[in-house]
Each structure stands twice: as C-alpha cells, then as structure tokens.
Amino acid sequence: VKEIRDKGFTMAGPAYGTNRNVMLETAAKLHFPVIYTICGELDGKAVTAKELNAPAFKPDWKQLEAGIAGQVKAAAAKYQSIAWWYLTPEELRFWRKNEYQYLQTAYRAIREADPLKRPVWLYLPNHYNLAALKKYVDCNEIIGKGAYANYSNKAFSRSWIRWSAENQVSALEGAPDGKFSICVPEMFQNPPEGKNDRIEVWARHDVYLSLACGARGVVIFSLARRKTMDDKVDRLYYDAYSRI
C-alpha cells in the first residue's frame, strides 16, 4: 500500500479474502483511500455463484441482506478511508435469477447501510457488449468491465479498447448523476512471445484511449503477482502503469 501510494496511485484495492482487511488496516494508518470488498455470507461462509445456481439452494434473502448491511455499517463506522465498495462474487449474470437477485439484494443493502452513499462496483466480464452492460446500471454506480485486448486476441487491433470504453459510457446514458465508467486494463498474463518491449506502449495506449473515450478512472487488473506472468513481465507492466 505504501509503495503504490508513493508511486502516485490514488487508491488501493480491491483485494480478496483476508487480504482485504490487512490492506484496509494498512491503508487506514497511511490515510490512503481503499476499494473495499463486500461479500454476502450464509452460515459464516462467503456466497459463491456456483451455490447461487445450485437447484437446491434457497437462500434466506433477508438474512443475506442483513449480513451485508452489517458488514457495511461496521466498516463504514471504523474506516473513513473507504472510497468505493466492491461487490463479490464477481461477474454476476443478469440472466440467472438467483445471481441477479443477489446483486439487487446486495446493492440495496450497501446503499441503505452506508451513510455516505459511496459508489458500488461489480466487475463485469471482458466480452460484455452494450446491451449486456445496460443490465447493470441500476445496481452499480460504476460500470467497469475488463478491457483486456491481448486476452481477447486483439493485441494488434487495439481499437477494441475504444469499443469497450464507448460501450460503457453509452450504457450510462440517461442514468442518474453520480454514475461513471472506469478503465480496467490488463496485467495478468505474458504478452505474445517476443513482444515484451510493447508492454509500456500498450499500457499507455489502453489507459489514455479509455480516458479519451469517457472513462473517469483506472483500476488495473491485477497489481497482485500472477502465476501466468513472468517476474520480468510483472515488473514491466507495474513500472509502465506507475509512470502513467
């Protein structure tokens, strides 16, 4: 947290599991803003998308809502450094009844429990188009899907980033004030062989093109070290985004 603050980043997170609380404690001591992860729980265990879709799964929605509200109230009362709420499980699907009901329930609980009405963000999949993105505007303040050109086999056709950014902005047309889109650029796998020297160019292109097309912020996926990346690649991406 201290390192990314000193490099010019303006928020930490999101983080998962117990890491989210370690990060929150560290950031609070440094008076550094945090994107804090909320996850609904039943019987003391985090709810997963797989469970939500199990035929026998019949959740107590009121219990679930109360638990999420409790998380928000406890965190909001103690930590002024929380800037956004990050909802998990990620990629909840609008066409799956229980997943979408969970999204609606969790969103309502967060907004009602937070006296500062801080924005809520559910990460959306890389491939979502405009029609899909519109399904989430009512249950998010932030529209931010993956913008992973390399992962989408668009390493050398990067106008795909513009398509992603403009769809997010278009999804918010007519939405209430206070909702906005963000750029979620790529940092989780090695580039095509022999193309490490393109990493900084790609990172700069993807961030600035997204901002030019209406994104209001940047959250990089993922500053954590990934097994799918060589250490050298990890450092090239990290240094590139730090300079940007």
Side-chain angles (χ1 to χ4, degrees):
V1 173
K2 183 179 184 302
E3 181 179 348
I4 65 171
R5 181 200 66 178
D6 293 346
K7 284 184 174 291
F9 291 94
T10 57
M11 287 195 294
Y16 305 97
T18 57
N19 283 337
R20 65 184 177 143
N21 296 316
V22 174
M23 182 192 70
L24 184 57
E25 291 282 354
T26 306
K29 293 173 183 175
L30 296 171
H31 305 288
F32 193 65
V34 167
I35 305 170
Y36 186 65
T37 301
I38 295 291
C39 186
E41 295 181 348
L42 288 173
D43 300 323
K45 294 182 179 180
V47 173
T48 66
K50 183 177 181 181
E51 284 178 315
L52 287 170
N53 290 301
F57 187 67
K58 300 188 182 302
D60 183 334
W61 293 107
K62 289 185 177 180
Q63 178 191 346
L64 196 57
E65 186 169 355
I68 292 171
Q71 284 183 55
V72 172
K73 289 176 182 178
K78 188 175 179 182
Y79 298 102
Q80 299 301 309
S81 55
I82 295 172
W84 301 352
W85 304 106
Y86 184 71
L87 182 59
T88 57
E90 300 167 337
E91 301 187 5
L92 293 165
R93 293 166 287 190
F94 63 86
W95 64 91
R96 294 288 179 92
K97 181 180 177 181
N98 276 3
E99 289 187 38
Y100 199 63
Q101 186 168 346
Y102 172 86
L103 170 58
Q104 293 172 311
T105 299
Y107 177 76
R108 181 173 60 249
I110 294 169
R111 294 293 284 177
E112 291 179 357
D114 180 15
L116 299 181
K117 307 301 180 190
R118 283 162 283 203
V120 178
W121 174 33
L122 172 74
Y123 168 84
L124 298 174
N126 187 52
H127 65 278
Y128 271 17
N129 60 18
L130 175 58
L133 294 172
K134 284 182 175 180
K135 303 289 187 182
Y136 295 89
V137 173
D138 290 342
C139 296
N140 283 272
E141 274 65 58
I142 303 166
I143 297 297
K145 76 171 195 68
Y148 314 141
N150 292 20
Y151 180 74
S152 303
N153 295 317
K154 303 289 186 181
F156 307 104
S157 181
R158 301 192 88 82
S159 59
W160 187 86
I161 296 293
R162 178 177 178 176
W163 175 83
S164 292
E166 290 183 342
N167 279 346
Q168 291 188 170
V169 171
S170 295
L172 290 168
E173 288 179 1
D177 291 343
K179 301 200 177 203
F180 57 96
S181 69
I182 60 171
C183 168
V184 187
E186 181 174 354
M187 183 181 165
F188 59 87
Q189 65 175 11
N190 291 335
E193 188 173 352
K195 297 300 180 181
N196 284 6
D197 61 340
R198 303 299 296 166
I199 287 173
E200 180 154 6
V201 176
W202 285 336
R204 184 169 295 275
H205 171 276
D206 295 353
V207 168
Y208 280 110
L209 180 56
S210 295
L211 295 173
C213 292
R216 300 298 301 275
V218 182
V219 179
I220 300 153
F221 189 85
S222 157
L223 286 179
R225 287 189 175 273
R226 297 271 161 175
K227 294 180 180 179
T228 48
M229 298 175 71
D230 296 338
D231 287 347
K232 182 179 180 180
V233 171
D234 179 89
R235 180 50 56 176
L236 287 169
Y237 267 116
Y238 183 55
D239 289 345
Y241 285 125
S242 297
R243 283 189 286 272
I244 294 166

